[in-house]
Amino acid sequence: MSTDSKPLQSSAVINEAVQTLRDGGLVAFPTETVYGLGADAKNPEAIQKIFTAKGRPLHHPLIVHLAAPDKFDAPQVDWVPIIAPWARDISEDAIKLMNAFWPGPLTLVFKKDKTVLSEITGGQDTVAIRAPAHPIAQEVLRKFKGGIVAPSANRFGKVSPTSAADVRSEFEGTLDLMILDGGDCEVGIESTIIDMSSGDKPRLLRPGIITPKEILAKTGVSVLKTGEVSSDEHAESIPRVSGSLRAHYAPTTPLRLYAPGRVLDALSEYPDTKSRVAVAVWDSESSLGEDGHPSVHFEEMEIPSDSAAFASYLYRSLRDLDQQEWDLILFPEPPAGEEWDGVRDRLQRACFGSGPSSSSQDSN
Ligand code: AMP
Ligand code: MG
């Protein structure tokens, strides 16, 4: 079987995608974050195909993607009737967040409506919902007229895809998959996830490009960050987020972080001397200025020192570097600051899961 990538954007291609979804098939499509592997959120067999294709454990919940109204003026959209068939107990804070950030890279977790399939929620009583901003995702959703579950279109534990070619290489030879090609994803890392289901303060479950600081500034809503515990809460009540497993987004080549100016320290973790090492260096710094190492060949590559530009570049560079047969990849530790939390989180998990045996790690 082969993967089948269609150039955009004729409505015939979109119609074919919609028909494939209605028939219980899978369609990969671009969102502003990463490419998603989509299925009809009301069709248990179609949902099962996602878990099989990704090799994803069944208890990891999926995000339901919904359409924004056809012609909309963002501040005027009433999101409540749009999410009401899926979610209950929609708070004032949730409405503020939707008004400020939807459509966009923000996922909200609600108590689920009883009609929501347990296959989506991993058996939990909550459901995660997002309205993506990408025009192709929106067009598919509007024409489909229903919810589409769409986890990242990659095999379990691997680096998320940010181009149609990435999706093709993930499933080539294993899955007959329609892929809508929307070019490179702008954001480049997965959505920020906020739990709105506790009736207490909103809680950050996965950092992304939209930060608690930005949420507070735009809406006045304060979001508890990981590690901050509100008065009447216990850690066990936090919903599972597959992206929160330690190993995730992992390249096959070993990946490590280095502290500012400490490239050789990062190498010393490796008793077997590595001979070909790719070292990422901030574009704001001229060069490593390393005197070198007797048996190691370093090759430097510049990476953006702006957090948003870095996010959109991260998975692309990990995939490309993974193809180049380095013995080791070194990235600089991202600086302190909330705007770096999303990429720091992805990089740390990518390091933990990296290396030739990464496919056996516990991850999504
Ligand atoms: P992906 O689209 O592959 O990045 O994965 C979707 C993310 O949303 C995963 O990390 C899921 O665990 C998370 N998610 C989906 N539903 C829920 C839920 N009900 N509660 C908490 N997290 C969820
Ligand atoms: Mg994923």
Side-chain angles (χ1 to χ4, degrees):
M1 282 196 273
S2 68
T3 47
D4 180 14
S5 175
K6 307 257 170 171
L8 274 197
Q9 266 29 262
S10 74
S11 60
V13 173
I14 301 283
N15 290 344
E16 188 187 334
V18 168
Q19 193 56 50
T20 303
L21 291 164
R22 290 206 179 115
D23 293 342
L26 303 183
V27 174
F29 60 87
T31 80
E32 69 277 27
T33 59
V34 302
Y35 273 70
L37 184 62
D40 179 356
K42 291 287 182 190
N43 182 334
E45 281 107 55
I47 295 164
Q48 179 56 48
K49 287 181 191 167
I50 288 186
F51 286 98
T52 306
K54 281 180 65 85
R56 175 171 166 129
L58 292 172
H59 61 276
H60 288 304
L62 303 172
I63 296 171
V64 177
H65 294 67
L66 297 177
D70 198 355
K71 289 198 175 50
F72 69 94
D73 180 10
Q76 309 264 305
V77 175
D78 183 0
W79 290 100
V80 174
I82 295 171
I83 65 167
W86 305 87
R88 56 187 181 81
D89 301 348
I90 301 160
S91 64
E92 285 301 314
D93 281 355
I95 293 170
K96 285 183 195 160
L97 264 53
M98 292 186 287
N99 286 343
F101 295 103
W102 280 12
L106 179 71
T107 297
L108 300 178
V109 174
F110 296 98
K111 287 264 185 269
K112 80 176 189 74
D113 183 83
K114 60 181 184 313
T115 58
V116 175
L117 294 173
S118 63
E119 285 85 347
I120 293 175
T121 65
Q124 301 180 87
D125 65 349
T126 53
V127 61
I129 303 181
R130 165 165 119 85
H134 196 289
I136 294 171
Q138 276 297 330
E139 206 181 335
V140 171
L141 284 161
R142 269 201 285 275
K143 288 193 168 166
F144 182 67
K145 295 185 171 45
I148 297 177
V149 282
S152 52
N154 55 279
R155 304 267 314 152
F156 181 72
K158 298 303 178 190
V159 179
S160 302
T162 55
S163 74
D166 294 345
V167 180
R168 207 172 306 126
S169 73
E170 282 290 313
F171 297 109
E172 192 92 71
T174 62
L175 184 66
D176 190 6
L177 179 64
M178 182 177 186
I179 304 170
L180 297 177
D181 189 344
D184 292 342
C185 299
E186 202 181 325
V187 174
I189 59 171
E190 297 79 357
S191 58
T192 304
I193 304 182
I194 305 217
D195 181 17
M196 308 299 299
S197 72
S198 72
D200 191 22
K201 271 203 173 161
R203 172 184 290 279
L204 182 68
L205 296 181
R206 178 172 72 184
I209 207 83
I210 295 174
T211 61
K213 212 183 283 174
E214 187 186 355
I215 291 172
L216 182 64
K218 289 211 173 125
T219 65
V221 174
S222 67
V223 172
L224 284 173
K225 288 175 52 169
T226 322
E228 291 174 350
V229 178
S230 67
S231 49
D232 57 346
E233 182 182 51
H234 300 288
E236 312 86 76
S237 65
I238 298 169
R240 287 184 298 263
V241 182
S242 60
S244 68
L245 295 169
R246 257 187 101 188
H248 208 89
Y249 323 113
T252 312
T253 314
L255 167 72
R256 291 292 175 272
L257 301 185
Y258 67 90
R262 311 301 289 257
V263 170
L264 293 184
D265 289 2
L267 268 191
S268 66
E269 238 194 86
Y270 281 82
D272 328 329
T273 311
K274 301 284 166 183
S275 57
R276 289 188 72 240
V277 179
V279 188
V281 185
W282 300 118
D283 59 9
S284 53
E285 289 165 16
S286 49
S287 164
L288 285 174
E290 284 296 344
D291 291 336
H293 186 283
S295 52
V296 175
H297 168 69
F298 292 104
E299 204 152 305
E300 293 180 19
M301 38 158 212
E302 285 199 350
I303 50 169
S305 47
D306 168 79
S307 58
F310 183 89
S312 76
Y313 167 90
L314 175 62
Y315 291 150
R316 165 87 286 113
S317 64
L318 289 180
R319 276 183 179 270
D320 292 347
L321 288 166
D322 223 7
Q323 299 298 311
Q324 295 167 11
E325 302 191 346
W326 297 99
D327 294 316
L328 177 66
I329 304 167
L330 294 177
F331 264 72
E333 282 171 4
E338 209 176 83
E339 69 278 21
W340 287 96
D341 284 354
V343 289
R344 188 180 310 103
D345 169 78
R346 304 312 190 280
L347 260 178
Q348 284 168 346
R349 292 181 215 288
C351 286
F352 189 79
S354 68
S357 62
S358 65
S359 57
S360 63
Q361 300 269 1
D362 183 20
S363 63
N364 168 6

